[in-house]
């Protein structure tokens, strides 16, 4: 068929030519007429020339389809720029693959990109990854089987009895199971990096909660290492005492000495690396399992008639013993009158190992699958072992014994007949000796080995997790003090500095030497962490963001909420003082993060909730009818680049600060491309944020000024969150620019009123344009530097100053060099920031805001001093004003906007020294009565004013010099031979009365308000059918000229913004 493409294969590579492909050069063709390593579409019978066809021949395609996957991918890449869905496209690391952007698919010019320094490559070499058994199950078991298993569980049975001991274990198990369900859900909702609980909470609830809980959790693990080391030292002291050995006093000083050395050795083991840690853990877990079986078998066999064992309280299984130990018998011990919750507080740290796998999740092969599986198995095994220990200890040993065979009666222990019970100095039994496990075991030394292994293994896993938590916090740069300790060393990135910090914290608490004093504090810290883990899951499941898709499905939002409440209640029941201190520490750390405001964007559920709450509020607001009492001035500021018009932006913010919305807009009359537009938006928003101005910045490109502003007034905002006032700068060069610009400016004002919006126009004596000064936004590096984003690293773009007359209209500078952008195909490149000019000693810079966290600094471009009048003009609306007046010329009733705006300004702290003076016109019939009526109106509006002045003589003719000044102003615009579209004599005649009124108002304004701090007056209505643009602009010029202070012209949309009623 003559209309089919033929596809051939050349040199093992397939490619297809299609419409638009350039033909290969003749010098590069092979004998078959195809270019090297390419396929060219040929049409048989037409001399090999390409032509369009919609059909494709599969002749010779079989070999192409039989190619390897790698070759086929490469071949498909020659057919299209599109990429297939792949995991590597979604990674947040250097391993990710870059899918083509919309601009690349649309064929946008490549020179529109912005050069950003490449981030440092990730350290991925040589790291050992662990499976669920070695990485989760064994660490969790080692962390759970801690000091309580062999040293305190028998004492817990003696205090609480078998029943309440099982209840304590059950409550602990319920807390841990619910927390494990929540932990599993979060850890399977995406890839979990290093940092454990901190990473999970911070990426779920945000850096504020995550960082504060991360610090508390790291601190709890360090203290837990101290507690387990103290348990090891206690058992070692007993062993030494039984062999008549000691170091100093066989007491607390020995614990401190041996404990410090032990922690140091464990830290060194951790520093060796993951391989040695794994080998040490395997040895320890085997030892603990053997010790557990040793105790169970020994307790089951019983004392076998050994009177020495019986005298120590090991009487063997019997119903009377089980019955006697079934109930509780709380006693005074170690300075505390114990009850259920005090014993629970001492026991609970023994089940706080469920986070061990999450703490080293960065070292796991598949954290999402390993954490749930390993943690649940560890819980099942450990809780079963605890319950067995309670039953065996409570059924085979008595609470009190003397240790003397002579005190036995008929070979058994009778507590009421013991001599030591009367004196209260019994040394054996479940109550009095922590050696009961060793006494009841099959072989005593193995229990010591198991106790050593349990305590040291838990201490080892705690010491292993703390530096990694600290390293994760330091890498995220949440707390500056932890950055120093987060530095990685070696190919595995070991946090050696973090190990040193952990050693000092653990050794410091080790010096306390009392296990029962440390345990309740650890319990509150762990419970607080577990509470927030449960709350994270509840919050995510309740808010249900689209990114919440955990692969672990066996969780429930309300069960997680119950777990959260349960943890909090238990905290306060254990020790309300410790609970308050714990929450106080978390809150203080939370406030630190809130104050520093790190640039962390992790897609937390808090952000999702904020979005949903805002969305629901907007929807509710949409269904609420407008009421005049709830009027808010929502301002659209047409400032162009906000850095070049700071007074205009500041004036708009005076009206909206802490009260309503403000939008800042920039119109660029040429297309600049998506990337450049986004850069301009980010640059402008960064400036507003540095100035602490709460506003939304937007850039419109590809429209003329009139069309762009018309589009903005119609489309900015949504629903009730849309602007109702347009704020523009006065155009001082209207009498020097071309006719089209004047008409466009006039049309902008007219169109704003046509959209039923209010209009405010601002003029400063020296103008609003400060583009001759170079601005620099200084944002501190207060977080997220590791993300290597341009915004986080402080990269900004110095844009070229405007060079096109169109951009000067309305003072809306695009701040771009538009000279080379006439062609739609021309490129637009934003250069990297250049160094500032060499400023001499006489040069000067000015910081707009004095806060230390962020500032905008202005410099002169040529190195000269910034004149004082420029500084004063630039900060006119942000600096404290001296005593003065705000003069309001409320000439026409526009609904009250003309009087409302200056009232809002007078309420601001910087303008509170300026009193309102109200000027208004009267009809001339009864001036005194009209003055009283106006005063009554202002009083009913609750607008406080210092003086009310009725303007007289407005209808009189203006002075001759004022008339001549106006005539000279409009003379170039009069219609004549050279100007056939100018102001006609008929127009001047018909508008003479209104023109004279504007001139007369100008004279009265100059007369009364020459010393005012601010003048606000009614804006004349622009009527296209009645007045030409030049004549209207001459009115504005006369009204605002010859003033030493800012002048604002305002007019509402003729709907009320003030009300008399409550």
């Amino acid at each position: 068929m003559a209309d089919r493409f033929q596809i051939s294969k050349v040199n093992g590579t397939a490619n297809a030519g299609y419409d638009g492909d350039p033909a290969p050069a003749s010098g590069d063709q092979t004998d078959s007429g195809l270019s090297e390593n390419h396929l060219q579409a040929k049409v048989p019978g037409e001399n090999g020339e390409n032509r369009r066809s919609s059909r494709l021949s599969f002749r010779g395609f079989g070999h192409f389809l039989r190619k390897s996957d790698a070759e086929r991918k490469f071949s498909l890449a020659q057919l299209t720029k599109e990429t297939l869905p792949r995991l590597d496209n979604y990674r947040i690391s250097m391993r990710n693959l870059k899918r083509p952007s919309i601009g690349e698919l649309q064929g946008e010019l490549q020179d529109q990109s912005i050069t950003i320094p490449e981030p440092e490559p990730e350290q991925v070499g040589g790291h050992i990854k662990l499976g669920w058994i070695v990485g989760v199950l064994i660490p969790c078991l080692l962390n759970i089987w801690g000091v309580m298993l062999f040293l305190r569980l028998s004492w817990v049975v003696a205090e609480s009895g078998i029943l309440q001991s099982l209840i304590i274990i059950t409550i602990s198990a319920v807390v841990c199971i619910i927390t494990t369900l929540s932990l599993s859900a979060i850890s399977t909702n995406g890839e979990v990096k290093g940092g454990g609980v901190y990473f999970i909470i911070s990426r779920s609830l945000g850096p504020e909660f995550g960082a504060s809980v991360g610090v508390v959790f790291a601190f709890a693990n360090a203290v837990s290492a101290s507690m387990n080391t103290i348990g090891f030292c206690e058992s070692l002291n007993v062993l030494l005492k039984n062999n008549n050995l000691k170091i100093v006093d066989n007491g607390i000083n020995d614990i401190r000495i041996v404990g410090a050395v032990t922690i140091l050795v464990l830290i060194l083991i951790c520093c060796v690396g993951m391989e040695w840690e794994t080998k040490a853990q395997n040895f320890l877990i085997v030892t603990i399992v053997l010790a557990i079986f040793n105790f169970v078998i020994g307790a089951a066999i019983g004392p076998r008639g050994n009177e020495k064992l019986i005298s120590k309280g090991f009487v063997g299984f019997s119903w009377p013993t089980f019955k006697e130990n079934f109930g509780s018998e709380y006693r005074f011990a170690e300075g505390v009158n114990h009850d259920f919750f005090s014993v629970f507080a001492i026991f609970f740290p023994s089940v706080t190992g469920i986070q061990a796998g999450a703490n080293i999740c960065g070292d796991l092969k598949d954290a999402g699958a390993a954490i749930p599986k390993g943690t649940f198995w560890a819980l099942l095994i450990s809780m079963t072992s605890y319950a067995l220990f309670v039953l065996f200890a409570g059924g085979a040993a008595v609470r009190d014994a003397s240790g003397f065979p002579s005190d036995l009666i008929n070979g058994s222990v009778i507590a009421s007949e013991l001599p030591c019970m009367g004196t209260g100095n019994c040394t054996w039994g479940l109550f009095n000796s922590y050696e009961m496990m060793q006494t009841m075991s099959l072989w005593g030394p193995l229990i010591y080995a198991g106790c050593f292994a349990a305590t040291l293994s838990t201490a080892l896993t705690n010491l292993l997790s703390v530096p990694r938590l600290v390293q994760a916090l330091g890498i995220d740069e949440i707390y500056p003090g932890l950055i120093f300790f987060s530095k990685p060393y070696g190919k595995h990135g070991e946090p050696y500095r973090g190990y040193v910090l952990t050693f000092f914290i653990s050794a410091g608490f080790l010096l306390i030497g009392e296990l029962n004093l440390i345990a309740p504090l650890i319990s509150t810290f762990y419970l607080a962490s577990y509470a927030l883990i449960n709350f994270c899951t509840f919050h995510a499941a309740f808010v249900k963001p689209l990114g919440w898709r955990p692969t672990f499905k066996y969780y429930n939002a309300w069960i997680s909420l119950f777990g959260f409440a349960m943890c909090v209640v238990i905290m306060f029941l254990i020790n309300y003082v410790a609970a308050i201190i714990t929450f106080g520490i978390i809150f203080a750390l939370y406030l630190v993060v809130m104050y520093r405001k790190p640039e962390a964007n992790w897609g937390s559920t808090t952000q999702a909730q904020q979005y949903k709450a805002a969305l629901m509020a907007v929807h509710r607001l949409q269904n609420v009818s407008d009421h005049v009492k709830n009027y808010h001035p929502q301002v659209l500021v047409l400032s162009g680049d906000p850095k070049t018009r700071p007074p205009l932006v500041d004036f708009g913010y005076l009206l909206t600060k802490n009260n309503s919305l403000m939008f800042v807009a920039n119109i660029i009359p040429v297309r600049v491309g998506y990337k450049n537009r986004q850069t301009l938006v980010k640059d402008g928003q960064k400036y507003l944020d540095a100035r602490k101005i709460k506003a939304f910045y937007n850039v419109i490109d590809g429209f003329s000024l009139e069309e762009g502003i018309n589009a903005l007034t119609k489309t900015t905002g949504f629903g009730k969150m849309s602007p109702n006032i347009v704020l523009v700068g006065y155009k001082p060069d209207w009498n020097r620019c071309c006719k089209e610009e004047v008409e466009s400016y006039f049309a902008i004002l007219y169109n704003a009123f046509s959209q039923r919006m209010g209009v405010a126009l601002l003029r400063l004596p020296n103008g609003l344009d400060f583009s001759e000064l170079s601005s620099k936004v200084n944002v501190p590096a207060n977080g997220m530097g590791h993300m290597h984003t341009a915004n986080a690293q402080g990269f900004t773009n110095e844009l070229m100053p405007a060079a096109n007359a169109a951009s000067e209209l309305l003072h809306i500078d695009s701040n771009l060099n538009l000279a080379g952008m006439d062609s739609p195909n021309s490129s637009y490149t934003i250069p990297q920031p250049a160094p500032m000019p060499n400023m001499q000693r006489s040069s000067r810079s000015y910081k707009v805001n004095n806060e230390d966290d962020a500032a905008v600094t202005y410099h002169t471009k040529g190195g000269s001093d910034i004149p004082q009048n420029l500084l004063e003009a630039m900060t006119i609306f942000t600096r404290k004003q001296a005593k003065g007046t705000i003069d309001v010329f409320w000439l026409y009733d526009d609904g009250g906007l003309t009087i409302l705006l200056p009232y809002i300004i007078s309420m601001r702290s910087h303008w509170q020294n300026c009193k309102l003076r109200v000027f208004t016109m009267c009809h001339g019939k009864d001036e005194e009565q009209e003055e009283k009526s106006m005063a009554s109106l202002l009083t009913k509006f609750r607008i406080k004013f210092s003086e009310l002045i009725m303007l007289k003589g407005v209808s009189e003719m203006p002075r001759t010099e004022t008339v001549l000044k106006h005539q000279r102003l409009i003379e170039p615009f009069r219609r004549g031979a050279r100007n056939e579209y100018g102001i006609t004599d008929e127009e001047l005649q018909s508008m003479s009365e209104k023109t004279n009124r504007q001139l007369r108002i100008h004279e009265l304004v100059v007369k009364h308000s020459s010393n005012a701090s601010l003048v606000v007056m009614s804006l004349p209505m622009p009527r296209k059918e009645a007045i030409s643009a030049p004549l209207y602009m001459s009115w504005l010029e006369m009204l605002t000229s010859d003033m030493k202070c800012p002048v604002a012209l305002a007019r509402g949309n003729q709907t009320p913004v003030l009300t008399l009623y409550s």
Side-chain angles (χ1 to χ4, degrees), residues 537-545 557-558 609 612:
T537 301
F538 163 75
H539 195 262
F542 182 76
V543 176
K544 292 182 180 178
W558 301 109
Q609 185 185 29
K612 282 202 169 183

mmCIF file of all heavy atoms in Angstrom, residues 537-545 557-558 609 612:
data_model
loop_
_atom_site.group_PDB
_atom_site.id
_atom_site.type_symbol
_atom_site.label_atom_id
_atom_site.label_comp_id
_atom_site.label_asym_id
_atom_site.label_seq_id
_atom_site.Cartn_x
_atom_site.Cartn_y
_atom_site.Cartn_z
ATOM 1 N N THR A 537 -2.959 9.640 64.202
ATOM 2 C CA THR A 537 -3.777 8.745 63.383
ATOM 3 C C THR A 537 -5.228 9.196 63.373
ATOM 4 O O THR A 537 -5.885 9.205 62.321
ATOM 5 C CB THR A 537 -3.671 7.311 63.917
ATOM 6 O OG1 THR A 537 -2.304 6.913 63.892
ATOM 7 C CG2 THR A 537 -4.487 6.354 63.069
ATOM 8 N N PHE A 538 -5.756 9.568 64.551
ATOM 9 C CA PHE A 538 -7.128 10.057 64.590
ATOM 10 C C PHE A 538 -7.296 11.285 63.709
ATOM 11 O O PHE A 538 -8.263 11.390 62.934
ATOM 12 C CB PHE A 538 -7.523 10.392 66.028
ATOM 13 C CG PHE A 538 -8.751 11.260 66.114
ATOM 14 C CD1 PHE A 538 -10.008 10.730 65.878
ATOM 15 C CD2 PHE A 538 -8.641 12.614 66.401
ATOM 16 C CE1 PHE A 538 -11.142 11.528 65.938
ATOM 17 C CE2 PHE A 538 -9.766 13.417 66.464
ATOM 18 C CZ PHE A 538 -11.019 12.872 66.227
ATOM 19 N N HIS A 539 -6.355 12.196 63.816
ATOM 20 C CA HIS A 539 -6.462 13.444 63.064
ATOM 21 C C HIS A 539 -6.431 13.181 61.566
ATOM 22 O O HIS A 539 -7.227 13.752 60.794
ATOM 23 C CB HIS A 539 -5.335 14.392 63.474
ATOM 24 C CG HIS A 539 -5.535 15.808 63.057
ATOM 25 N ND1 HIS A 539 -4.957 16.341 61.923
ATOM 26 C CD2 HIS A 539 -6.252 16.810 63.607
ATOM 27 C CE1 HIS A 539 -5.317 17.606 61.803
ATOM 28 N NE2 HIS A 539 -6.102 17.914 62.805
ATOM 29 N N ALA A 540 -5.514 12.307 61.144
ATOM 30 C CA ALA A 540 -5.406 12.007 59.717
ATOM 31 C C ALA A 540 -6.655 11.274 59.220
ATOM 32 O O ALA A 540 -7.183 11.577 58.138
ATOM 33 C CB ALA A 540 -4.160 11.168 59.450
ATOM 34 N N ALA A 541 -7.155 10.317 60.011
ATOM 35 C CA ALA A 541 -8.338 9.569 59.587
ATOM 36 C C ALA A 541 -9.590 10.426 59.635
ATOM 37 O O ALA A 541 -10.525 10.218 58.852
ATOM 38 C CB ALA A 541 -8.512 8.333 60.468
ATOM 39 N N PHE A 542 -9.627 11.396 60.534
ATOM 40 C CA PHE A 542 -10.795 12.262 60.653
ATOM 41 C C PHE A 542 -10.815 13.313 59.545
ATOM 42 O O PHE A 542 -11.850 13.555 58.911
ATOM 43 C CB PHE A 542 -10.800 12.937 62.020
ATOM 44 C CG PHE A 542 -11.992 13.826 62.254
ATOM 45 C CD1 PHE A 542 -13.235 13.279 62.534
ATOM 46 C CD2 PHE A 542 -11.875 15.202 62.187
ATOM 47 C CE1 PHE A 542 -14.338 14.090 62.740
ATOM 48 C CE2 PHE A 542 -12.962 16.022 62.389
ATOM 49 C CZ PHE A 542 -14.206 15.469 62.664
ATOM 50 N N VAL A 543 -9.653 13.937 59.301
ATOM 51 C CA VAL A 543 -9.575 14.955 58.248
ATOM 52 C C VAL A 543 -9.667 14.313 56.869
ATOM 53 O O VAL A 543 -10.243 14.882 55.937
ATOM 54 C CB VAL A 543 -8.275 15.775 58.399
ATOM 55 C CG1 VAL A 543 -8.121 16.768 57.260
ATOM 56 C CG2 VAL A 543 -8.268 16.508 59.735
ATOM 57 N N LYS A 544 -9.079 13.122 56.733
ATOM 58 C CA LYS A 544 -9.110 12.354 55.483
ATOM 59 C C LYS A 544 -8.574 13.146 54.294
ATOM 60 O O LYS A 544 -9.269 13.362 53.306
ATOM 61 C CB LYS A 544 -10.527 11.866 55.180
ATOM 62 C CG LYS A 544 -11.039 10.825 56.147
ATOM 63 C CD LYS A 544 -12.430 10.354 55.769
ATOM 64 C CE LYS A 544 -12.943 9.315 56.744
ATOM 65 N NZ LYS A 544 -14.318 8.872 56.421
ATOM 66 N N PRO A 545 -7.335 13.610 54.361
ATOM 67 C CA PRO A 545 -6.754 14.212 53.152
ATOM 68 C C PRO A 545 -6.547 13.139 52.092
ATOM 69 O O PRO A 545 -6.482 11.942 52.399
ATOM 70 C CB PRO A 545 -5.415 14.771 53.653
ATOM 71 C CG PRO A 545 -5.069 13.931 54.834
ATOM 72 C CD PRO A 545 -6.373 13.557 55.480
ATOM 73 N N ALA A 557 -10.296 5.380 63.578
ATOM 74 C CA ALA A 557 -10.028 6.730 64.062
ATOM 75 C C ALA A 557 -10.479 6.910 65.506
ATOM 76 O O ALA A 557 -9.778 7.523 66.321
ATOM 77 C CB ALA A 557 -10.726 7.753 63.160
ATOM 78 N N TRP A 558 -11.637 6.359 65.849
ATOM 79 C CA TRP A 558 -12.176 6.583 67.189
ATOM 80 C C TRP A 558 -11.443 5.750 68.224
ATOM 81 O O TRP A 558 -11.326 6.164 69.390
ATOM 82 C CB TRP A 558 -13.670 6.287 67.188
ATOM 83 C CG TRP A 558 -14.382 7.152 66.203
ATOM 84 C CD1 TRP A 558 -14.935 6.786 65.021
ATOM 85 C CD2 TRP A 558 -14.566 8.573 66.300
ATOM 86 N NE1 TRP A 558 -15.462 7.864 64.361
ATOM 87 C CE2 TRP A 558 -15.258 8.979 65.127
ATOM 88 C CE3 TRP A 558 -14.223 9.536 67.252
ATOM 89 C CZ2 TRP A 558 -15.602 10.305 64.895
ATOM 90 C CZ3 TRP A 558 -14.570 10.855 67.018
ATOM 91 C CH2 TRP A 558 -15.250 11.226 65.858
ATOM 92 N N GLN A 609 -6.287 20.095 57.528
ATOM 93 C CA GLN A 609 -7.418 20.567 58.321
ATOM 94 C C GLN A 609 -7.628 22.070 58.139
ATOM 95 O O GLN A 609 -8.766 22.545 58.073
ATOM 96 C CB GLN A 609 -7.216 20.245 59.792
ATOM 97 C CG GLN A 609 -8.424 20.598 60.648
ATOM 98 C CD GLN A 609 -8.172 20.376 62.112
ATOM 99 O OE1 GLN A 609 -7.059 20.475 62.573
ATOM 100 N NE2 GLN A 609 -9.221 20.077 62.857
ATOM 101 N N LYS A 612 -9.461 22.459 54.914
ATOM 102 C CA LYS A 612 -10.865 22.068 55.008
ATOM 103 C C LYS A 612 -11.660 23.063 55.843
ATOM 104 O O LYS A 612 -12.808 23.391 55.511
ATOM 105 C CB LYS A 612 -10.974 20.667 55.618
ATOM 106 C CG LYS A 612 -10.669 19.552 54.634
ATOM 107 C CD LYS A 612 -11.276 18.234 55.085
ATOM 108 C CE LYS A 612 -11.205 17.203 53.976
ATOM 109 N NZ LYS A 612 -11.864 15.936 54.367
#
